[in-house]
Amino acid sequence: MNKKDQELIFELSQPGRIGYSLPELDVPEADLSVLLPAGYLREEEPELPEVSELDIMRHYTALSNRNHGVDSGFYPLGSCTMKYNPKINEDVARFEGFAHVHPLQQEETVQGAMELLYDLQEHLKEITGMDEVTLQPAAGAQGEWTGLMMIRAYHEENGDFNRTKVIVPDSAHGTNPASATVAGFETVTVKSGEDGLVDLEDLRRVADETTAALMLTNPNTLGLFEENILEIAEIIHGVGGKVYYDGANLNAVMSKARPGDMGFDVVHLNLHKTFTGPHGGGGPGSGPVGVKKDLIPYLPKPVLVKEEGVYRFDYNRPQSIGRVKPFYGNFGINVRAYTYIRSMGPDGLKAVTEYAVLNANYMMRRLAPYFDLPFNRHCKHEFVLSGKRQKKLGVRTLDIAKRLLDFGFHPPTIYFPLNVEECIMIEPTETESKETLDAFIDVMIQIAKEAEANPEIVQEAPHTTVIGRLDETAAARKPVLRYERELQNA
Ligand SMILES: *Cc1c(COP(=O)(O)O)cnc(C)c1O
């Protein structure tokens, strides 16, 4: 690594050096005091780094090369994986008619954009088996909250004010109990059995007339299909509750099975996961919510409707829970999801599901001899291993994750779900080639062997990255340590 790459842009600074060369001004310099009141104008020049054009370009190019993204390497982060980001999506999202519409434009001038949104809703209805869909929520968690608020409005409309509880399995994604709390419910945990599936006995015990809803992911967060789903839905419906489907990751069931046919009343999807929206850095997202007939009156308003070939936002929805997002969702992400669905077609989406499941099972079977496999059964789009065997040798799952960095792989999710000791959760996705899967598997096997023969190399990893093992707590609490150190030295 070139020393210059490691320096801060401020350290590259040389007095008087500038990054451009332009002719002298031949017009008077603008009088800023005309534009801004004097009180807002700075009195002294800001302290900016003084560098040449090449220095600044090379500095940022070098920084960008340190990033890991789905375009630079394998990203098997179970459950929240960065999935496929096809480049055709970017072309379509940049069409002038999509990129330049103003959110406050009159409806009659944006009929095309509204048609795209309406058609996307229709496709999502078909994929999920729901009766109506809203595209308003901006993320999965907001979709969850929106769905729960509709369930709440439904119960209250029925005079059912005692339904204060939302049941969530112990393997659930953390946003499920969080959304339930924000929607004003109390969460009750239902245990998973030895087989990783919802324990029906325990579910019967916790489900009662105070149950507002059960939130479930199927396949669950362990990558296992809840094969008793019809019975689970029956238990909850039997006590008057609603069944909520967390469909953030639909790669294992899309075009094969529909939440609407499994007895679910509400579903949210993450268009920024399964439906290929890029979501680096936490956004932007799109978390549409689909509902069965009973819940349609409570959908967030406005509702996008089509009447005699004309698209219109309907605000006259007296039972609506209200608006959950300004305008109508994250339009750009919805354009990308629409492009993906249309370019794949139904057979393409089915192939996605088949490859996602095949890839995960292939990887699980090849790794099973080297790691503990807590649930020895077919998985869906993801699977969990346990690093228990390695822990006995003094190598923790965190060390394994760090060692993967030495080989250029983004580590999988670790220590989640909480009900598996030393958990390693892997989602390969449908888009990776067999060569990439094999390369990752070979490295995992090598690390398992190192843990036996030479544990220090794993315990002290990473060795090849720009920054070595971080103090995880300090990294979260003091992200700009170096700058602080400089202030101290000044
Ligand atoms: C990602 C994810 C969520 C949350 O989605 P956000 O868009 O990050 O809010 C919820 N549930 C599951 C299973 C997820 O994987």
Side-chain angles (χ1 to χ4, degrees), residues 111-146:
Q111 286 288 304
M114 291 170 82
E115 179 177 356
L116 178 141
L117 295 175
Y118 188 87
D119 281 356
L120 176 59
Q121 290 181 174
E122 293 298 303
H123 286 299
L124 297 179
K125 273 158 69 174
E126 178 57 33
I127 290 169
T128 57
M130 290 287 157
D131 296 324
E132 201 57 81
V133 165
T134 173
L135 298 175
Q136 253 190 57
Q142 201 191 9
E144 291 170 27
W145 175 81
T146 302

Side-chain angles (χ1 to χ4, degrees), residues 322-377:
R323 202 185 249 296
V324 301
K325 166 96 174 62
F327 311 116
Y328 198 68
N330 277 332
F331 182 63
I333 292 298
N334 293 332
V335 172
R336 288 170 174 86
Y338 177 81
T339 305
Y340 175 67
I341 291 170
R342 291 301 305 273
S343 53
M344 296 299 283
D347 291 340
L349 295 182
K350 190 178 276 183
V352 164
T353 300
E354 289 167 357
Y355 281 114
V357 174
L358 178 66
N359 288 355
N361 278 284
Y362 173 70
M363 211 173 231
M364 179 177 80
R365 289 297 160 204
R366 274 205 62 198
L367 288 172
Y370 303 91
F371 296 87
D372 275 347
L373 184 61
F375 308 104
N376 188 6
R377 51 191 295 154

Side-chain angles (χ1 to χ4, degrees), residues 431-483:
T431 38
E432 297 295 344
S433 67
K434 180 161 181 295
E435 290 75 19
T436 301
L437 300 182
D438 282 334
F440 179 80
I441 293 165
D442 291 344
V443 165
M444 285 291 283
I445 294 173
Q446 179 181 332
I447 296 172
K449 289 181 178 164
E450 285 173 351
E452 289 180 9
N454 189 7
E456 301 80 44
I457 200 168
V458 188
Q459 288 157 345
E460 286 158 22
H463 305 276
T464 63
T465 52
V466 177
I467 309 278
R469 182 76 68 108
L470 289 169
D471 175 337
E472 307 264 325
T473 319
R477 295 202 181 138
K478 291 186 179 175
V480 281
L481 258 190
R482 182 158 178 186
Y483 182 59

